[in-house]
């Protein structure tokens, strides 16, 4: 059964090709069957492979399948190979299953839209690329998947291309992630030239053998890979693209910008964790970046009025938690949080999409209200997802994963207490903005009536994801991942200390819900008074704009570049080439001026020529 | 005899210079005829009497006469002379004169490198020319006759009034 | 009767001067009749050079060449003047610069 692993990424790719070539000629049903069917087949297959892997694990708990040699040049031979261990198995299952649910949802969500088959073509390509990314056995193939998901992200954000703003948002996403991708490519070059291979297992082995801890090569490579991860996962300083990426359809936001693509950076760091262990300074930087990002994004989420932007900032914040976990060496905790986050964030996005669809594409939360009666299934599943996001104790998987991260942060060797405090503060803010969103959207007086109830294809994914959100904490993922990802090196605390820390986290999350209740359900006046003060309104504007990063980048990078491009409009380099053509043209003009058509002119020319020739013959 | 040469040379140069600078076509032709006659005299003096005769008969007598006929056909009157006066401003002599002076200068220089031997002074009569023509140069004579034939036909065809112009462009030749 | 006993170079110099004068005439004049006239001057000068050279060596070849040149000049004049008539008829002018359609 394990040999069928290659079909898991191949089936969505085949689906993409079919839809790309003949999708235009299929009717809705056919395109949906193609698009959803390929993903469901891949999901089934993934489950079979997982079953085989778990019940009869291969030797060393790693299964490798090399399909063919991709490049064979002078000692550089990356292959099209798949590497299946606990980590990539987890990623594969999450990507295919959540992907399947979202495709099912999108079947109903995108029903009225034109470009239906184009949508499914892109999403199929995305799933294929993402699976390539997580199953790759060498960094070059991973980079192929990396670029592929970036491309699909661009195509899908700008799906409704007729509105220029969507195209701008797509370009912004692509360009910002490109900065990270370039850093990652340079990192790959560095790794190859220093260590001679890009095969991940080989690479990690050679790195531990040849590079001492803290050596410049390791540090440089780790920084560069971190750059790539930061770009793709929308962390500081490359986080500006994700809120704008909400211009795409909601299933896209759910699939790409919540559950899967943005976690590619987390996967990359987890996969190359050996390299980060060789560069402790960079690993600390990962944790610091994670903490800073989660706080910044959390504060920004507190002020947003667009429901999707709240969720976007929330995603950035939660990935900050994953980075924090990676930074303190808790690799499996990060992946655990990734899994639970994939479930509840996808659930929240799909729920938000159902609300948006029911209210005729209304995104402003403050124009919604009282929906808990009108959209009951949506409301209950959304509530479960929000509880998980706020890490409501004991019943939600979000609690277990976030708690594990905070625990591991406390245990970290440098600055553990600060990181833990930052994570805790972030948890408080998360609770507040999450339930602010819930209370404003679903409670209070109904400002609009829901036009139509969502159908089964929307409700089923919501319910399934809600169940997974509750049950996900009990899968025992961290232990499952231990063969692939080692546990945190620095010892565990005593049980009493652990209990104390857990209680603190639990109290904080409930406190946050209570604060949100007070501010946004019971008496909105308090919040309005706070934002009416000078400091309050300034803070609100600052946080609303994402702490001014867009403004900064615009002034620092975009404007000088656009100005330079405008100044070079006549393109200096082209002018140099134009010299050649202008010289030719000048010669042409000069020579054609000699063709006057007048006989006397020609006679003069002959006479002058004769004089010159005779002179040459006489005197030379 | 050298005096004759020098005098004739002077007259030739002078009359040629006058010929090219007249505004009236007939005047120019007449001056040219004078120049040709003096050249014929030079031919006689250096021992080519037959050629001297030919110069007078054919060059001055036939070719120049054709020129005069054509000039009379063209009816170049006072108006044409006026036009020529306009065209012949003093300034336009400058460039060509420079060019000509350069060429003459080069020629004189080359000639100056020569040996300056005195030429043989017996005259070569028609008999020797005839022997040469029918001997080594017989082919040239035939070619010259063909050339004359071509010239004859061409002149006849091209000279017809309203002939070439009136025909449409679809003709073969 | 003895002829003139002069170095060849004098005759050639005279031929050169006449040729240059004819060249000047070609370059300066705009009326086509005068241009043809100047060409005749040049041809005559060339012939003079031939005859002088032939006389210098005491051989008839120079004179033979002159006869051929004469023949050629006659043919050329005939055809040339016929063309002049055509030019005058078509362009209504004898200005050489009017016939410059092969320009550029």
């Amino acid at each position: 059964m394990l040999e069928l692993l290659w079909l898991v990424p191949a089936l969505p790719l085949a689906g993409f090709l079919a839809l790309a070539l003949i999708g235009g000629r299929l009717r809705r049903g056919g395109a949906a069957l193609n698009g959803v069917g390929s993903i469901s087949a891949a999901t089934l297959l993934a489950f079979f492979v997982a079953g085989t892997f778990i019940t009869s694990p291969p030797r060393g708990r790693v299964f490798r399948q090399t399909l063919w040699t991709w490049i064979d040049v002078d000692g550089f031979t990356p292959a099209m190979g798949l590497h299946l261990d606990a980590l990539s198995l987890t990623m594969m299952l999450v990507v295919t299953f959540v992907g399947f649910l979202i495709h099912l949802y999108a079947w109903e969500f995108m029903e009225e839209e034109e470009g239906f088959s184009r949508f499914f073509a892109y999403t199929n390509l995305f799933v294929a690329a993402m699976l390539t990314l997580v199953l790759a056995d060498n960094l070059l193939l991973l980079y192929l998947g990396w670029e592929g998901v970036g491309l699909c992200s661009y195509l899908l954000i700008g799906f409704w291309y007729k509105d220029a703003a969507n195209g701008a948002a797509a370009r912004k996403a692509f360009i910002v992630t490109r900065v990270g991708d370039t850093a990652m490519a340079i990192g790959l070059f560095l790794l190859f030239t220093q260590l001679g291979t890009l095969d991940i297992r080989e690479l990690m082995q050679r790195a531990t053998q040849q590079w001492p801890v803290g050596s410049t090569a390791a540090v440089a490579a780790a920084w560069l890979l971190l750059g790539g991860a930061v770009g793709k996962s929308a962390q500081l300083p490359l986080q500006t693209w994700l809120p704008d990426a909400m211009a795409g359809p909601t299933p896209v936001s759910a699939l790409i910008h919540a559950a899967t693509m943005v976690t590619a950076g987390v996967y990359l760091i987890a996969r190359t964790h050996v390299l980060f262990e060789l560069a402790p300074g960079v690993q600390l930087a990962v944790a610091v970046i994670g903490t800073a990002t989660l706080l910044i994004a959390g504060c920004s989420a507190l002020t947003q009025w667009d429901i999707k932007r709240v969720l976007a900032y929330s995603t950035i914040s939660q990935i900050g938690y994953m980075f924090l976990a990676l930074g303190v060496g808790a690799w499996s905790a990060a992946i655990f949080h990734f899994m639970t986050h994939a479930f509840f964030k996808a659930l929240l996005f799909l729920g938000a999409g159902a609300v948006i669809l029911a209210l005729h594409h209304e995104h402003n939360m403050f124009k919604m209200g009282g929906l808990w009666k009108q959209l009951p299934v949506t409301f209950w599943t959304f509530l479960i997802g929000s509880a998980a996001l706020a890490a409501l104790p004991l019943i939600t998987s979000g609690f277990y994963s976030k708690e594990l991260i905070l625990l591991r942060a406390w245990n970290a060797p440098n600055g553990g207490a600060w990181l833990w405090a930052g994570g805790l503060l972030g948890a408080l803010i998360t609770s507040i903005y999450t339930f602010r969103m819930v209370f404003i959207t679903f409670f209070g007086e109904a400002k609009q009536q829901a036009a139509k109830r969502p159908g089964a294809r929307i409700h089923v994914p919501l319910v399934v994801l809600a169940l997974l959100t509750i049950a996900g904490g009990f899968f025992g993922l961290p232990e499952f991942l231990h063969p692939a990802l080692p546990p945190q090196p620095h010892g565990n605390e005593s049980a009493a200390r652990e209990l104390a820390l857990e209680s603190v986290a639990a109290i904080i999350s409930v406190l946050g819900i209570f604060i949100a209740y007070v501010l946004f359900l019971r008496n909105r006046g308090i919040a309005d008074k706070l934002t009416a003060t000078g400091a309050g309104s300034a803070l609100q504007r600052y946080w609303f704009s994402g702490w001014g990063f867009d403004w900064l980048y615009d002034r620092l990078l975009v404007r000088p570049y656009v100005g330079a491009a405008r100044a070079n409009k006549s393109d200096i380099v082209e002018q140099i080439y134009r010299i050649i053509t202008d010289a030719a043209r000048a010669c042409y003009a000069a020579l054609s001026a000699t063709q006057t058509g007048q006989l006397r002119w020609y006679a003069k020319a002959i006479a002058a020529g004769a004089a010159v020739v005779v002179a040459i013959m006489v005197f030379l | 005899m050298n005096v004759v040469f020098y005098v004739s040379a002077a007259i030739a140069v002078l009359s040629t210079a006058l010929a090219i600078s007249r505004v009236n076509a007939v005047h120019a032709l007449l001056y040219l005829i004078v120049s040709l006659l003096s050249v014929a005299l030079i031919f006689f003096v250096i021992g080519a009497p037959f050629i001297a005769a030919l110069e007078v008969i054919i060059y001055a007598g036939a070719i120049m006469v054709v020129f005069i006929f054509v000039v009379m056909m063209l009816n170049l009157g006072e108006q044409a002379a006026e036009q020529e006066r306009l065209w012949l401003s003093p300034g336009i002599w400058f460039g060509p004169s420079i060019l000509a002076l350069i060429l003459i200068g080069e020629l004189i220089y080359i000639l100056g490198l020569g040996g300056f031997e005195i030429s043989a002074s017996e005259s070569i009569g028609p008999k020797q020319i005839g022997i040469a023509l029918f001997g080594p140069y017989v082919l040239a004579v035939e070619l010259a006759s063909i050339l004359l034939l071509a010239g004859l036909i061409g002149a006849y065809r091209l000279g017809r009034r309203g002939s070439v112009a009136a025909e449409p462009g679809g003709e073969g030749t | 009767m003895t002829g003139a006993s002069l170095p060849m170079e004098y005759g050639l110099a005279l031929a050169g001067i006449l040729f240059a004068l004819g060249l000047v005439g070609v370059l300066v004049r705009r009326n086509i009749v005068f241009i043809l006239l100047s060409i005749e001057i040049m041809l005559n000068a060339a012939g003079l050079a031939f005859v002088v050279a032939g006389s210098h060596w005491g051989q008839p070849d120079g004179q033979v060449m002159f006869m051929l040149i004469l023949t050629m000049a006659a043919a050329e004049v005939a055809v040339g003047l016929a063309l002049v008539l055509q030019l005058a008829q078509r362009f209504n002018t004898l200005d050489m610069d009017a016939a410059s359609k092969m320009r550029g």
Side-chain angles (χ1 to χ4, degrees), chain A residues 302 386 389-393 424-439 504-521:
Chain A
L302 271 178
S386 306
L389 178 54
L392 200 64
L424 202 63
L425 180 61
L428 179 65
I429 298 178
T430 305
S431 276
I432 298 178
Y433 71 66
T434 308
F435 276 88
R436 166 182 181 261
M437 178 175 61
V438 171
F439 291 142
V504 171
I507 293 171
I508 288 290
S509 92
V510 176
L511 180 66
I513 298 176
F514 180 69
I515 294 177
Y517 167 70
V518 165
L519 285 178
F520 297 108
L521 194 58

Side-chain angles (χ1 to χ4, degrees), chain A residues 36-360:
Chain A
V36 181
S38 57
I39 303 293
S40 28
T43 311
L44 270 174
L45 212 58
F47 274 107
F48 276 129
V49 167
T52 316
F53 188 88
I54 295 175
T55 52
S56 48
R59 204 160 46 90
R61 294 193 174 256
V62 170
F63 172 69
R64 307 198 102 199
Q65 185 180 40
T66 307
L67 299 171
W68 70 86
T69 307
W70 184 7
I71 301 174
D72 189 356
V73 171
D74 192 25
F76 178 55
T77 55
M80 286 279 180
L82 304 175
H83 172 105
L84 189 68
D85 61 359
L87 173 61
S88 40
L89 185 74
T90 311
M91 302 287 300
M92 177 180 76
L93 283 176
V94 170
V95 169
T96 49
F97 190 59
V98 174
F100 163 66
L101 290 173
I102 294 178
H103 273 72
L104 191 62
Y105 176 97
W107 188 358
E108 177 167 336
F109 190 87
M110 301 294 290
E111 211 160 33
E112 312 283 319
E113 303 287 334
E114 58 168 307
F116 189 76
S117 62
R118 180 165 63 100
F119 179 84
F120 279 104
Y122 291 158
T123 53
N124 272 17
L125 181 62
F126 169 79
V127 174
M130 190 72 203
L131 287 168
T132 309
L133 200 162
V134 301
L135 289 172
D137 75 344
N138 62 66
L139 284 177
L140 196 63
L141 189 59
L142 189 147
Y143 193 67
L144 175 70
W146 189 275
E147 293 298 317
V149 298
L151 170 70
C152 294
S153 168
Y154 168 78
L155 290 171
L156 285 165
I157 294 173
F159 182 73
W160 289 312
Y161 57 86
K162 292 192 177 145
D163 184 352
N166 297 341
R171 274 198 302 279
K172 180 174 176 179
F174 193 78
I175 293 173
V176 174
T177 49
R178 203 90 196 93
V179 174
D181 295 348
T182 310
M184 184 172 161
I186 297 175
L188 293 188
F189 298 154
L190 180 68
L191 284 171
F192 180 68
T193 51
Q194 294 294 314
L195 296 173
T197 178
L198 284 178
D199 182 283
I200 298 180
R201 202 162 53 172
E202 257 312 296
L203 195 66
M204 296 299 124
Q205 255 179 357
R206 290 191 197 180
T208 43
Q209 284 163 4
Q210 296 179 18
W211 289 347
V213 173
S215 63
T216 38
V219 168
W223 270 117
L224 290 167
L225 289 182
L226 177 63
V230 157
K232 196 64 93 181
S233 295
Q235 299 295 291
L236 230 59
L238 295 174
Q239 85 285 11
T240 51
W241 64 270
L242 193 52
D244 289 343
M246 297 298 114
T250 309
V252 168
S253 306
L255 181 61
I256 300 184
H257 305 123
T260 43
M261 184 184 92
V262 290
T263 54
V266 176
Y267 171 75
L268 177 69
I269 297 180
R271 187 49 98 194
T272 55
H273 63 90
V274 171
L275 204 58
F276 284 86
E277 279 167 355
L278 288 174
V282 187
Q283 200 176 2
L284 181 62
V286 174
V288 169
I289 286 176
T291 314
T293 309
L294 71 91
L295 286 172
I296 288 177
C299 294
S300 298
L302 271 178
T303 57
Q304 303 294 323
W305 47 259
D306 181 339
I307 190 173
K308 282 178 73 176
R309 280 182 88 100
V310 175
L311 292 172
Y313 278 110
S314 166
T315 306
I316 299 176
S317 182
Q318 294 303 306
I319 298 177
Y321 273 101
M322 296 179 217
F323 267 58
L324 171 58
L326 292 170
V328 298
W331 318 107
S332 41
I335 301 297
F336 184 31
H337 194 62
F338 150 73
M339 185 184 79
T340 59
H341 175 262
F343 294 148
F344 64 68
K345 195 45 73 63
L347 171 59
L348 286 171
F349 263 109
L350 295 184
V355 167
I356 290 172
L357 194 64
L359 294 179
H360 299 292

